[in-house]
Amino acid sequence: MSRPTTAGRRVPGELVLHPVPLVALAVLLLNDHVLKAAAPGWVTGKLSDVAGLAFFPFLLLAARDVVTRRAPTVAAAQVAAALTALVFAAVKLSAAARDVYVDVVGALRFPVDALVGGVAAPVRVVVQPDATDVWTVLACAVVVLVVRRAVPGPSPRDLVGEQDVPLAVRPWCPQPSPATMRR
């Protein structure tokens, strides 16, 4: 994603500021901190999964961009989406993966939990094992769609020589008129 900024340069990690991950993060926070308390149930549970899975690949891709200083590519977006989907499915379906996940996330959250909540040790997060949540990994594909749309790719003319493709298959080329064909 190489959209120029006001200075004409791309800002590493800017992908996380795209409207899609920002809306997903807002929905996740609103759902987890307001809606689940007001109306706990199946809908709010799935909404958290979908919003989180829509947001997290953007975060991974932005972190990759900041660390490597390489702009997001469709291939990198596909890897971020697949990695997010695989970890989520493993956590939902495997007790061993879930145990590792709750310990790692608890440790990562500890500094904020200690400052905000005054906790003295990492707190394990709660994960509901639910195989029916696995379908929500489809939300991971959003990052690929956004990056594919934002990253300029080769045109069909770049992939195949125009003269090698029959006119009927070249919709991007103007069709010759009968007058120009007689010349």
Side-chain angles (χ1 to χ4, degrees):
M1 186 157 163
S2 54
R3 183 183 50 210
T5 62
T6 55
R9 294 183 322 199
R10 189 183 63 79
V11 177
E14 71 184 355
L15 184 62
V16 81
L17 299 176
H18 185 278
V20 171
L22 291 177
V23 168
L25 182 60
V27 168
L28 180 64
L29 293 172
L30 177 68
N31 187 59
D32 284 0
H33 296 285
V34 177
L35 300 177
K36 278 187 176 181
W42 185 86
V43 172
T44 54
K46 299 300 185 242
L47 187 58
S48 282
D49 294 340
V50 169
L53 290 168
F55 171 75
F56 196 74
F58 283 95
L59 182 63
L60 280 180
L61 206 52
R64 172 201 171 265
D65 185 11
V66 167
V67 170
T68 65
R69 299 282 189 206
R70 291 174 42 203
T73 62
V74 173
Q78 291 168 335
V79 169
L83 185 61
T84 301
L86 287 171
V87 169
F88 181 82
V91 167
K92 288 296 185 170
L93 301 173
S94 163
R98 196 167 30 262
D99 287 342
V100 170
Y101 176 82
V102 298
D103 288 338
V104 168
V105 172
L108 291 173
R109 285 181 40 165
F110 175 64
V112 174
D113 289 345
L115 286 173
V116 175
V119 299
V123 177
R124 291 175 59 140
V125 295
V126 177
V127 175
Q128 286 297 121
D130 185 357
T132 67
D133 287 345
V134 175
W135 69 267
T136 61
V137 299
L138 295 172
C140 293
V142 172
V143 72
V144 177
L145 298 174
V146 168
V147 171
R148 181 173 283 148
R149 186 168 180 224
V151 175
S155 74
R157 289 181 191 187
D158 296 335
L159 299 175
V160 178
E162 190 174 303
Q163 67 280 3
D164 300 334
V165 181
L167 284 176
V169 184
R170 290 191 265 155
W172 62 88
C173 297
Q175 299 296 320
S177 69
T180 59
M181 290 179 74
R182 285 187 222 143
R183 290 185 194 171

